[in-house]
Amino acid sequence: MAVLVTGGAGYIGSHTCVQLLEAGYDIVVIDNLSNSKMEAVRRVKELTGKDFAFIKGDIRDSALLDEIFRKYDIESVVHFAGLKAVGESVSVPLRYYHNNVTGSIMLFESMQRNGVKNIVFSSSATVYGMAEKMPLREDSPLGAVNPYGRTKLMIEDILRDIYVSDNSWNIILLRYFNPVGAHPSGRIGEDPNGIPNNLMPYISQVAVGKLKELSVFGNDYPTPDGTCIRDYIHVMDLADGHVKALEKLREDPGVVVYNLGTGKGSSVMEMIAAFAEATGIKIPYRITGRRPGDAPVSYADPSKAEKELGWKAKRDIIDMCRDLWTWQSQNPDGYGD
Ligand code: NAD
Ligand code: UD1
């Protein structure tokens, strides 16, 4: 029995593949490499010393998916494949709806045709929209504020509807907070295309000399130091959360949703300080205007995942910064060309 990992060459997918292989799972990976490199797959094999099938292909290719389900003995699916850049989703919404929503529907249809009814889906804290009441609980009000977020909400709803129609499905929706860091070996990590949009990859590229200085997007928010607060979570903790979710699927849980966060918020200034503490590198920064669409504060109540999955984030922001730096300093150009 194997786990099909869609988007397994990507940032969170590659780290999860390592942890799944270490936990003894057989895996099959499908990725169209639209936002990742084959080198990541090679390094997952190198790190674990284990081989697995990698299929370069798109989840919107039904014939290919059917072939994979027929060829391999797939028990469950971990579904990472999707586009994730918020700004880009505003410029090219149809590409996002087609890739993420149509792609997911085609995957679920193929699962149904082939009798595979166990899935873990990568949702996001973005489904809480501009919620004000913290910490965010799984039953906090939902509301997406951009096309990317809407694709996540739509896919969550589609999966809930599938369950209503056929309750032999088992579906776990994982809402990730802010994934950062890298495998401690520095062999795999996040390799964004072009100039990073997100804080931590930006900081690490300033540290390695690829970018001049960090722009801190606003210091006039209603927070202790005026900069936005987020719940940063180490990608290895996130990967472990998927191993726990797969174990949970074996208990026939129906459809369940879990926040994967640390429960602890850190401000932009605290992350700059943590990076300096972990690496000795002071990041030059400048305060600029607010970025449209940023919520002042966002952090999880992760207690449901602790209670029901036996999962709790173990790594702190110093670990996140240190491991990010190990990856970035050893791979200044990511996986290269
Ligand atoms: P990523 O871009 O590194 O990985 C996604 C992978 O999916 C890439 O390797 C890409 O090539 C592949 N892919 C995209 N569309 C595909 C398609 N149609 N067919 C086959 N492969 C396809 O992103 P990530 O950070 O690893 O995120 C993984 C998942 O987690 C995504 O669904 C993302 O929306 C979600 N998520 C990410 C974050 C984050 O901050 N990184 C936060 C919350 C949720
Ligand atoms: C962003 C997305 C969110 C997505 C999340 C995934 C937006 C508006 N939101 O969230 O939908 O789920 O990534 O990780 O894009 N910052 C700077 N300077 C920078 C970059 C960021 O000051 O160069 C600040 C931001 O204003 C924010 C914090 O750092 O306060 C974190 O930013 P980021 O890493 O982009 O994550 P989110 O804003 O949480």
Side-chain angles (χ1 to χ4, degrees), residues 5-11 13-18 21 27-57 187-189 191 327 335:
V5 183
T6 76
Y11 171 45
S14 57
H15 289 79
T16 302
C17 285
V18 168
L21 290 164
I27 62 170
V28 175
V29 173
I30 178 171
D31 197 303
N32 65 5
L33 302 181
S34 59
N35 196 39
S36 51
K37 305 261 169 60
M38 194 55 207
E39 179 62 10
V41 177
R42 202 190 64 69
R43 293 195 190 179
V44 169
K45 294 183 181 181
E46 169 204 286
L47 269 174
T48 58
K50 293 185 178 163
D51 199 13
F52 54 87
F54 172 80
I55 296 109
K56 180 174 185 291
R187 295 299 290 157
I188 57 172
D191 182 17
W327 153 254
Y335 293 112

Side-chain angles (χ1 to χ4, degrees), residues 86 124 126 178 198-199 215-217 228 230 232 268 291 294:
V86 173
S124 166
T126 193
N178 286 57
N198 298 114
L199 178 67
S215 298
V216 173
F217 298 147
C228 293
R230 294 290 181 272
Y232 297 94
V268 176
R291 179 173 70 179
D294 273 344

Side-chain angles (χ1 to χ4, degrees), residues 35 190-197 201 205 327-328:
N35 196 39
E190 186 172 13
D191 182 17
N193 271 327
I195 297 176
N197 296 310
Q205 292 200 12
W327 153 254
Q328 183 75 72

Side-chain angles (χ1 to χ4, degrees), residues 222-240:
T223 61
D225 66 21
T227 64
C228 293
I229 290 176
R230 294 290 181 272
D231 187 340
Y232 297 94
I233 173 163
H234 199 299
V235 67
M236 295 298 291
D237 279 325
L238 207 57
D240 290 338

Side-chain angles (χ1 to χ4, degrees), residues 98-170:
H98 197 250
N99 192 83
N100 294 6
V101 182
T102 311
S104 294
I105 291 173
M106 295 178 90
L107 171 69
F108 307 154
E109 282 176 339
S110 180
M111 289 175 67
Q112 197 162 47
R113 273 196 299 278
N114 292 281
V116 178
K117 298 181 179 181
N118 298 313
I119 186 165
V120 178
F121 171 62
S122 300
S123 188
S124 166
T126 193
V127 299
Y128 296 114
M130 296 297 267
E132 277 171 16
K133 192 160 173 277
M134 295 295 143
L136 292 160
R137 291 164 42 98
E138 288 80 356
D139 57 4
S140 292
L142 302 178
V145 289
N146 53 60
Y148 166 70
R150 267 186 284 281
T151 68
K152 292 293 174 193
L153 267 186
M154 284 179 188
I155 299 164
E156 284 200 2
D157 283 339
I158 290 167
L159 284 167
R160 277 187 274 262
D161 288 339
I162 291 175
Y163 178 74
V164 170
S165 75
D166 175 357
N167 58 26
S168 64
W169 278 70
N170 286 297

